[in-house]
Coordinates of all heavy atoms in Angstrom, one line a residue:
I59 N 96.8 51.2 36.7 CA 96.8 51.5 38.1 C 95.5 51.0 38.7 O 95.5 50.4 39.8 CB 97.2 52.9 38.4 CG1 98.6 53.3 38.0 CG2 97.0 53.3 39.9 CD1 99.0 54.7 38.1
N60 N 94.4 51.4 38.1 CA 93.1 51.0 38.6 C 93.0 49.5 38.6 O 92.3 48.9 39.5 CB 92.0 51.6 37.7 CG 91.9 53.1 37.9 OD1 92.3 53.6 38.9 ND2 91.4 53.8 36.9
L61 N 93.6 48.8 37.6 CA 93.5 47.3 37.5 C 94.2 46.7 38.7 O 93.8 45.7 39.3 CB 94.1 46.8 36.3 CG 94.3 45.3 36.1 CD1 92.9 44.6 36.1 CD2 95.0 45.0 34.8
I62 N 95.3 47.4 39.2 CA 96.1 46.9 40.3 C 95.3 47.1 41.6 O 95.2 46.3 42.5 CB 97.5 47.5 40.3 CG1 98.3 47.1 39.1 CG2 98.2 47.1 41.6 CD1 99.6 47.8 38.9
T63 N 94.8 48.3 41.8 CA 94.1 48.7 43.0 C 92.7 48.3 43.1 O 92.2 48.1 44.2 CB 94.2 50.2 43.2 OG1 93.5 50.9 42.2 CG2 95.7 50.7 43.2
L64 N 92.0 48.3 41.9 CA 90.5 48.0 41.9 C 89.7 49.0 42.7 O 88.6 48.7 43.2 CB 90.2 46.6 42.3 CG 90.7 45.4 41.4 CD1 90.3 44.1 42.0 CD2 90.2 45.6 40.0
G65 N 90.3 50.2 42.8 CA 89.5 51.3 43.4 C 89.7 51.4 44.9 O 90.3 50.5 45.6
D66 N 89.3 52.5 45.5 CA 89.4 52.8 46.9 C 88.0 52.9 47.5 O 87.2 53.5 46.9 CB 90.2 54.0 47.2 CG 91.7 53.9 46.6 OD1 92.3 52.8 46.8 OD2 92.1 54.9 46.0
P67 N 87.8 52.4 48.7 CA 86.5 52.6 49.4 C 86.2 54.1 49.5 O 87.1 54.9 50.0 CB 86.7 52.0 50.7 CG 87.8 51.0 50.5 CD 88.8 51.6 49.5
Q68 N 85.0 54.5 49.2 CA 84.6 55.9 49.3 C 83.2 56.0 49.9 O 82.2 56.4 49.2 CB 84.6 56.6 47.9 CG 86.0 56.6 47.2 CD 86.0 56.9 45.8 OE1 85.2 56.3 45.0 NE2 86.8 57.9 45.4
P69 N 83.1 55.7 51.2 CA 81.8 55.6 51.8 C 81.1 57.0 52.0 O 79.9 57.0 52.2 CB 82.1 55.0 53.2 CG 83.5 55.3 53.4 CD 84.2 55.4 52.1
N70 N 81.9 58.1 51.8 CA 81.3 59.4 52.1 C 80.7 60.1 50.9 O 80.3 61.2 51.0 CB 82.4 60.3 52.7 CG 82.9 59.7 54.1 OD1 82.1 59.2 54.8 ND2 84.2 59.9 54.3
I71 N 80.8 59.5 49.7 CA 80.2 60.1 48.5 C 79.1 59.2 48.0 O 79.0 58.1 48.3 CB 81.3 60.3 47.4 CG1 81.8 58.9 47.0 CG2 82.5 61.1 48.0 CD1 82.8 59.0 45.8
P72 N 78.2 59.8 47.1 CA 77.1 59.0 46.6 C 77.6 57.7 45.9 O 78.7 57.7 45.3 CB 76.5 60.0 45.6 CG 76.8 61.3 46.1 CD 78.2 61.2 46.7
I73 N 76.7 56.7 45.9 CA 77.1 55.4 45.3 C 77.5 55.5 43.8 O 78.5 54.9 43.4 CB 76.0 54.4 45.5 CG1 75.8 54.1 47.0 CG2 76.2 53.1 44.7 CD1 74.7 53.1 47.3
K74 N 76.8 56.3 43.1 CA 77.0 56.4 41.6 C 78.4 57.0 41.4 O 79.0 56.8 40.3 CB 76.0 57.2 41.0 CG 74.6 56.5 40.9 CD 73.6 57.3 40.1 CE 72.2 56.6 40.0 NZ 71.2 57.4 39.3
Q75 N 79.0 57.7 42.3 CA 80.3 58.4 42.1 C 81.4 57.5 42.6 O 82.6 57.9 42.5 CB 80.3 59.8 42.7 CG 79.2 60.7 42.1 CD 79.2 62.0 42.8 OE1 80.1 62.4 43.6 NE2 78.2 62.8 42.5
R76 N 81.2 56.4 43.3 CA 82.2 55.6 43.9 C 82.9 54.8 42.8 O 82.4 54.6 41.7 CB 81.6 54.7 44.9 CG 81.0 55.4 46.1 CD 80.4 54.5 47.1 NE 79.7 55.1 48.2 CZ 79.0 54.5 49.1 NH1 79.0 53.2 49.2 NH2 78.3 55.2 50.0
D77 N 84.1 54.4 43.1 CA 84.9 53.5 42.2 C 84.2 52.2 42.1 O 83.8 51.5 43.0 CB 86.3 53.2 42.8 CG 87.2 54.5 42.8 OD1 86.8 55.4 42.0 OD2 88.1 54.6 43.5
N78 N 84.0 51.8 40.8 CA 83.4 50.5 40.5 C 84.5 49.5 40.1 O 85.1 49.6 39.0 CB 82.4 50.6 39.4 CG 81.5 49.4 39.2 OD1 82.0 48.3 39.2 ND2 80.2 49.6 39.1
S79 N 84.8 48.6 41.0 CA 85.9 47.7 40.8 C 85.8 46.8 39.5 O 86.8 46.5 38.8 CB 86.1 46.8 42.0 OG 86.3 47.5 43.2
M80 N 84.6 46.4 39.2 CA 84.3 45.6 38.0 C 84.6 46.3 36.7 O 85.2 45.8 35.8 CB 82.9 45.0 38.1 CG 82.7 43.9 39.1 SD 83.9 42.5 38.9 CE 85.1 42.9 40.2
Y81 N 84.2 47.6 36.7 CA 84.5 48.4 35.5 C 86.0 48.6 35.4 O 86.5 48.6 34.3 CB 83.8 49.8 35.6 CG 82.3 49.7 35.4 CD1 81.5 50.8 35.8 CD2 81.7 48.6 34.9 CE1 80.1 50.8 35.6 CE2 80.3 48.6 34.8 CZ 79.5 49.6 35.1 OH 78.1 49.6 35.0
M82 N 86.6 48.8 36.5 CA 88.1 49.0 36.5 C 88.8 47.7 36.0 O 89.8 47.7 35.2 CB 88.6 49.4 37.9 CG 88.2 50.7 38.3 SD 88.8 51.1 40.0 CE 88.3 52.8 40.1
L83 N 88.2 46.6 36.4 CA 88.8 45.3 36.0 C 88.6 45.1 34.5 O 89.6 44.7 33.8 CB 88.2 44.1 36.8 CG 88.7 42.7 36.5 CD1 90.2 42.6 36.7 CD2 88.0 41.7 37.4
I84 N 87.4 45.4 34.0 CA 87.2 45.2 32.6 C 88.0 46.1 31.7 O 88.7 45.7 30.7 CB 85.7 45.5 32.3 CG1 84.8 44.4 32.9 CG2 85.4 45.5 30.8 CD1 83.3 44.6 32.8
D85 N 88.1 47.4 32.2 CA 89.0 48.4 31.5 C 90.4 47.9 31.5 O 91.1 48.1 30.5 CB 88.8 49.8 32.1 CG 87.5 50.4 31.9 OD1 86.8 49.9 31.0 OD2 87.1 51.4 32.6
G86 N 90.9 47.4 32.6 CA 92.3 47.0 32.7 C 92.5 45.8 31.8 O 93.6 45.8 31.1
V87 N 91.6 44.9 31.7 CA 91.8 43.7 30.8 C 91.8 44.2 29.3 O 92.6 43.7 28.5 CB 90.7 42.7 31.0 CG1 90.8 41.6 30.0 CG2 90.8 42.1 32.4
L88 N 90.9 45.2 29.0 CA 90.9 45.7 27.6 C 92.2 46.4 27.3 O 92.8 46.3 26.2 CB 89.8 46.7 27.5 CG 88.4 46.1 27.3 CD1 87.3 47.2 27.4 CD2 88.3 45.3 26.0
V89 N 92.8 47.2 28.3 CA 94.1 47.8 28.1 C 95.2 46.8 27.9 O 96.1 47.0 27.1 CB 94.4 48.8 29.3 CG1 95.8 49.2 29.3 CG2 93.5 50.0 29.3
L90 N 95.1 45.7 28.7 CA 96.1 44.7 28.5 C 96.1 44.1 27.1 O 97.1 43.8 26.4 CB 95.9 43.6 29.5 CG 96.3 43.9 31.0 CD1 96.0 42.8 31.9 CD2 97.8 44.3 31.1
A91 N 94.8 44.0 26.5 CA 94.7 43.5 25.2 C 95.3 44.5 24.2 O 95.9 44.1 23.2 CB 93.2 43.2 24.9
V92 N 95.1 45.8 24.4 CA 95.6 46.8 23.5 C 97.2 46.7 23.6 O 97.8 46.8 22.6 CB 95.1 48.2 23.9 CG1 95.9 49.3 23.2 CG2 93.6 48.3 23.7
I93 N 97.7 46.6 24.8 CA 99.2 46.5 24.9 C 99.7 45.2 24.2 O 100.8 45.3 23.6 CB 99.5 46.4 26.4 CG1 99.2 47.8 27.1 CG2 101.0 46.1 26.6 CD1 99.4 47.8 28.6
A94 N 98.9 44.1 24.3 CA 99.4 42.9 23.6 C 99.4 43.1 22.1 O 100.3 42.7 21.4 CB 98.4 41.8 24.0
I95 N 98.4 43.8 21.6 CA 98.3 44.1 20.1 C 99.5 45.0 19.7 O 100.1 44.8 18.7 CB 97.0 44.8 19.7 CG1 95.8 43.8 20.0 CG2 97.0 45.3 18.3 CD1 94.5 44.4 19.7
F96 N 99.8 46.0 20.6 CA 100.9 46.9 20.3 C 102.2 46.2 20.3 O 103.1 46.4 19.4 CB 100.9 48.1 21.3 CG 102.1 49.0 21.1 CD1 102.2 49.9 20.1 CD2 103.1 48.9 22.0 CE1 103.3 50.7 19.9 CE2 104.2 49.8 21.9 CZ 104.3 50.6 20.9
A97 N 102.4 45.2 21.3 CA 103.6 44.5 21.3 C 103.8 43.6 20.1 O 104.9 43.5 19.5 CB 103.6 43.6 22.6
V98 N 102.7 43.0 19.6 CA 102.8 42.2 18.4 C 103.1 43.1 17.2 O 104.0 42.7 16.4 CB 101.4 41.5 18.1 CG1 101.4 40.9 16.8 CG2 101.1 40.5 19.2
A99 N 102.5 44.3 17.1 CA 102.9 45.2 16.0 C 104.3 45.6 16.1 O 105.0 45.8 15.1 CB 102.0 46.4 16.1
Y100 N 104.8 45.8 17.3 CA 106.2 46.2 17.5 C 107.2 45.1 17.0 O 108.2 45.4 16.3 CB 106.5 46.5 19.0 CG 107.5 47.6 19.2 CD1 107.1 48.8 19.8 CD2 108.8 47.4 18.9 CE1 108.1 49.8 20.0 CE2 109.8 48.4 19.1 CZ 109.4 49.6 19.7 OH 110.3 50.6 19.9
V101 N 106.9 43.9 17.4 CA 107.7 42.8 16.9 C 107.6 42.6 15.4 O 108.7 42.4 14.7 CB 107.2 41.4 17.6 CG1 107.9 40.2 17.0 CG2 107.5 41.5 19.1
L102 N 106.5 42.8 14.8 CA 106.3 42.8 13.4 C 107.1 43.9 12.7 O 107.7 43.6 11.6 CB 104.8 42.9 13.0 CG 104.0 41.7 13.3 CD1 102.5 42.0 13.0 CD2 104.4 40.4 12.6
S103 N 107.2 45.0 13.3 CA 108.0 46.1 12.7 C 109.5 45.8 12.7 O 110.2 46.0 11.7 CB 107.7 47.4 13.5 OG 108.4 47.4 14.8
V104 N 110.0 45.1 13.8 CA 111.4 44.7 13.8 C 111.6 43.6 12.8 O 112.6 43.7 12.0 CB 111.7 44.3 15.2 CG1 113.2 43.7 15.2 CG2 111.6 45.4 16.2
K105 N 110.7 42.7 12.7 CA 110.9 41.6 11.7 C 110.8 42.1 10.3 O 111.5 41.7 9.4 CB 109.8 40.5 11.9 CG 109.8 39.8 13.3 CD 111.0 38.9 13.4 CE 111.0 38.1 14.7 NZ 112.2 37.2 14.8

Side-chain angles (χ1 to χ4, degrees):
I59 293 174
N60 291 336
L61 176 63
I62 296 172
T63 62
L64 293 181
D66 299 316
Q68 300 167 307
N70 298 324
I71 65 175
I73 291 179
K74 291 184 178 180
Q75 300 177 12
R76 297 178 188 177
D77 290 339
N78 193 310
S79 300
M80 288 300 100
Y81 289 166
M82 292 180 174
L83 180 57
I84 294 174
D85 290 344
V87 174
L88 285 171
V89 165
L90 290 178
V92 171
I93 294 174
I95 294 174
F96 175 73
V98 171
Y100 213 113
V101 173
L102 290 176
S103 71
V104 176
K105 296 292 184 182

